[in-house]
Amino acid sequence: MNIEFYQALIQSLSKTHTKLIAVSKTRSNDALMEAYQLGIRAFGENKVQELVAKQEALPKDIEWHLIGHLQSNKVKYIAPFIYLIHSIDSLSLLEEVNKQAEKNNRIIRCLLQCHIAKEETKYGFSAAALETVLSNGTLTAFKHIELCGLMGMATNTDDAMLIEQEFASLQQLFLAIKSNYFSAQDSFKELSMGMSGDYEMAIKHGSTMVRIGSSLFGERS
Ligand SMILES: *Cc1c(COP(=O)(O)O)cnc(C)c1O
């Protein structure tokens, strides 16, 4: 755990409306406990099996965030306890989350993942697909989902201008969707963007949740 980085980070986040999600994928329970002792309570994982194992072993006041691609057949394992799913990338996935949330007598918070990067491989809705899904009213049928905002990832590049353009366009999309579809819903307020390499730029463009792994815990092997 890089304590100097962590202290500087929380100092700078305290001047913003941005929350830290500590991305703990591949890290040991001991590493998570070290972060927990420093006061971190929000952890992000990208694999269901690993997330469930950590949730069982670690303190129950941790908020678990799923940030990686979620397969519909695995939703049932996290539905009882997941705090926020950042990575809703299809309508059929949302439907399954709604179904499992109902079974567990819960409302599950979700973000819609948007495809903003130039790279081909990233999951998520395009701006046009999002517009379609939101305008046809399908989402209002999901009574056990609380849509809390959008998530996105910038292209993995050294080109700072490209990253800035992508975050700026996600912020524009978020603001447009909020005012067109969620103006009466205070809970639609989260914009999850920014990782170790680009979180400062993300905060400049209105990020409310930065997902930081390697700068906190060291490079992943
Ligand atoms: C791994 C991961 C992160 C954290 O990346 P770092 O560069 O280690 O900070 C953030 N978001 C998602 C979706 C990830 O998979």
Side-chain angles (χ1 to χ4, degrees), residues 116-119 122 153-159 162-163 166-167 198:
I116 48 167
K118 287 269 180 291
E119 291 155 303
K122 300 251 163 91
M153 264 186 278
T155 301
N156 184 10
T157 174
D158 292 331
D159 182 349
L162 178 60
I163 294 172
E166 291 174 350
F167 285 153
D198 56 21

Side-chain angles (χ1 to χ4, degrees), residues 23 25 46 67 151 153 195-197 211-215 220:
V23 175
K25 62 191 186 197
N46 67 339
I67 61 170
M151 180 269 223
M153 264 186 278
M195 319 191 346
S196 292
R211 309 177 309 268
I212 298 184
S214 43
S215 291
R220 281 179 298 276

Side-chain angles (χ1 to χ4, degrees), residues 47-117:
K47 294 210 168 75
V48 166
Q49 202 177 354
E50 188 178 341
L51 193 161
V52 169
K54 287 174 174 171
Q55 190 272 339
E56 283 170 3
L58 294 170
K60 295 299 171 246
D61 62 340
I62 290 175
E63 275 177 21
W64 294 99
H65 294 246
L66 187 80
I67 61 170
H69 177 61
L70 175 59
Q71 288 172 278
S72 288
N73 61 358
K74 295 192 175 160
V75 173
K76 56 179 178 283
Y77 302 116
I78 59 169
F81 64 85
I82 197 76
Y83 182 83
L84 178 66
I85 301 174
H86 293 231
S87 44
I88 298 293
D89 55 12
S90 72
L91 203 53
S92 59
L93 176 59
L94 201 61
E95 206 172 329
E96 177 63 14
V97 173
N98 184 62
K99 186 174 135 194
Q100 296 299 333
E102 183 170 13
K103 273 194 186 167
N104 285 276
N105 204 12
R106 293 187 69 205
I107 303 229
I108 297 184
R109 295 180 204 87
C110 294
L111 306 181
L112 299 171
Q113 183 171 351
C114 300
H115 183 105
I116 48 167

